[in-house]
Amino acid sequence: MTSRANIGQLLACCWLLTQVAGLQAQILSNATQAAPAESAAPGNVQQAQAALTEDSAATGVRQVVWPKITMPQMTLPKIKLPQVTMPKWTMPDMSKLWNPVAAGFKKISAGSKKVWEGSKQMFSFGKKDAKSAPAAPVKSEPSLLRRMLGEAPEPAGPQTVGEWMSQPRLDP
């Protein structure tokens, strides 16, 4: 589709060039415009005459130079920005601010430590020098009443996820 459009444009340009080649130009002077009857004969064409320089005669093109336009010289006023200075600011001494807080924290920690030591002494039995050993796990034995009545102990529940999943489902 694109090549057909390009060929069409090329043919249109060629046709326009053949139409332009047959045109003739005619230069009329003021005298011939004032008296059109004298030089109005068909085929009577006046040729334009111009003085050509050596360069333009060699190339066949007349060189035209744009007129030189000088722009006015402009100077902008110098703008001086005001000097801005920031006030000097020093960081306050944070140790002076935190000293009361630190002293209060030390008092609280010392007091709680003293209370903890006192409660350990109050509730410790046996030797005072021996450190308290961790309590041994208590075996879950049935109570005296259950042993006397002869009831069977409850079965232990599932210990793993697999055991829990394999239990029978309860219907409501």
Side-chain angles (χ1 to χ4, degrees):
M1 183 70 179
T2 306
S3 62
R4 287 183 184 175
N6 288 341
I7 291 173
Q9 289 176 352
L10 181 64
L11 290 175
C13 289
C14 290
W15 180 78
L16 284 173
L17 287 176
T18 58
Q19 296 299 321
V20 172
L23 296 178
Q24 291 183 352
Q26 184 174 351
I27 298 175
L28 301 173
S29 65
N30 289 339
T32 58
Q33 287 178 359
E38 296 175 3
S39 63
N44 188 8
V45 177
Q46 182 181 6
Q47 297 293 325
Q49 298 293 325
L52 300 175
T53 61
E54 292 179 13
D55 293 336
S56 61
T59 60
V61 177
R62 183 174 179 192
Q63 299 292 325
V64 178
V65 178
W66 289 96
K68 185 175 181 182
I69 299 173
T70 58
M71 296 299 290
Q73 293 292 327
M74 292 177 41
T75 57
L76 296 175
K78 292 184 180 180
I79 299 172
K80 186 175 181 181
L81 296 176
Q83 295 291 330
V84 178
T85 58
M86 296 297 293
K88 292 185 179 180
W89 184 70
T90 58
M91 192 75 172
D93 189 13
M94 297 303 282
S95 64
K96 291 180 182 177
L97 293 175
W98 289 106
N99 281 342
V101 175
F105 181 74
K106 286 178 184 176
K107 283 181 183 179
I108 290 172
S109 62
S112 60
K113 192 174 202 180
K114 190 175 185 181
V115 169
W116 174 250
E117 294 297 328
S119 62
K120 281 191 340 185
Q121 281 181 351
M122 186 186 308
F123 292 111
S124 64
F125 301 104
K127 295 181 180 178
K128 294 181 181 180
D129 296 336
K131 291 185 178 180
S132 61
V138 178
K139 294 181 182 178
S140 60
E141 294 182 12
S143 66
L144 179 63
L145 182 62
R146 287 195 182 205
R147 283 187 280 166
M148 287 174 55
L149 295 174
E151 292 180 14
E154 291 184 15
Q159 299 296 319
T160 63
V161 175
E163 291 175 5
W164 181 79
M165 295 287 288
S166 64
Q167 292 180 4
R169 179 178 279 185
L170 298 176
D171 291 326

